[in-house]
Amino acid sequence: MVTSSASSLILFCLTVSLLLLLLPLPSHCADPDPLLDLCVANLTASTSSSYFPCKLPSEVTADDFVFDGLSKQGNVTNLFGVAVTTGNVLSFPGLNTLGLSMNRVDFGPGGINPPHSHPRASEIGIVIEGTILSGIVTTKNVYYGKVATAGQVFAVPRGLVHFELNLGQTKALFFTAFNSHLPGSTVLPLSLFAAAPSIPMEVLTKTYLVDEDAINAMKSKFVF
């Protein structure tokens, strides 16, 4: 004979088991599985979610799944001596909902991809040409740096500040891939000294422990 307390325990166990079966695992919550074979981005439509609305199937063409932008060398005649060519959903609509994108990064001699972060993606890169110092900084301010040459691969965890520096006196090139169709990029010097509207002067002087002349000197370097 089953007692009342035993029945309650059995019911509790069954309820918990059912909930565990019904609730999605954490790994499934970050990015829902696509419900369609394809969803080519309609870039002219407004969006309020992580994805662009899909083009009508009748409007989809083979060109939506091919992007040649990464085959072209970027112009490195700029302040940092670097050119980042993005192959994300904004330039490659076929990536919509796929959780994938790529960048091409060209360096002039001594060029730098300055400290930056990608808020929505982890990154993996492969050096094609040159000698590149790749560095990351953790949230505990621990720095990890490694020199990479052609054929070597480096990884950057999502959201961490990182950089790449061309150590050579000739051009360098690497390609990166992301687990997001729009990883985003926050470039620290531009965010701090070239924001519009500007970050209040008092914030910058107190952050860097310098006077206004020093901040204005920094800002003058980022007038484009």
Side-chain angles (χ1 to χ4, degrees), residues 14-191:
L14 289 173
T15 302
V16 169
S17 299
L18 180 60
L19 286 173
L20 289 174
L21 288 172
L22 293 177
L23 289 175
L25 296 174
S27 61
H28 295 162
C29 295
D31 202 10
D33 289 333
L35 300 179
L36 303 171
D37 288 343
L38 50 90
C39 178
V40 174
N42 179 357
L43 299 177
T44 63
S46 60
T47 178
S48 59
S49 68
S50 298
Y51 303 133
F52 285 92
C54 306
K55 277 186 177 182
L56 294 175
S58 59
E59 297 175 351
V60 174
T61 70
D63 288 340
D64 290 318
F65 302 98
V66 178
F67 176 64
D68 66 358
L70 302 188
S71 66
K72 303 168 185 175
Q73 182 173 330
N75 182 2
V76 298
T77 56
N78 54 59
L79 185 65
F80 297 120
V82 68
V84 179
T85 305
T86 57
N88 57 42
V89 68
L90 299 179
S91 55
F92 191 178
L95 295 179
N96 193 40
T97 76
L98 299 187
L100 298 169
S101 61
M102 292 184 70
N103 285 354
R104 172 183 176 137
V105 186
D106 290 279
F107 294 86
I112 186 170
N113 194 14
H116 61 284
S117 66
H118 303 290
R120 296 185 289 274
S122 297
E123 173 182 353
I124 186 168
I126 181 169
V127 178
I128 303 300
E129 181 180 355
T131 303
I132 292 174
L133 171 63
S134 174
I136 63 175
V137 181
T138 72
T139 56
K140 294 184 178 180
N141 295 324
V142 178
Y143 165 69
Y144 297 94
K146 184 75 174 179
V147 175
T149 56
Q152 292 186 305
V153 176
F154 59 88
V156 180
R158 174 179 174 176
L160 292 191
V161 172
H162 59 288
F163 65 86
E164 295 87 25
L165 171 66
N166 179 10
L167 296 178
Q169 297 305 308
T170 58
K171 66 181 181 179
L173 169 67
F174 74 84
F175 287 89
T176 62
F178 304 91
N179 62 339
S180 168
H181 67 193
L182 193 61
S185 181
T186 301
V187 182
L188 270 61
L190 300 184
S191 296

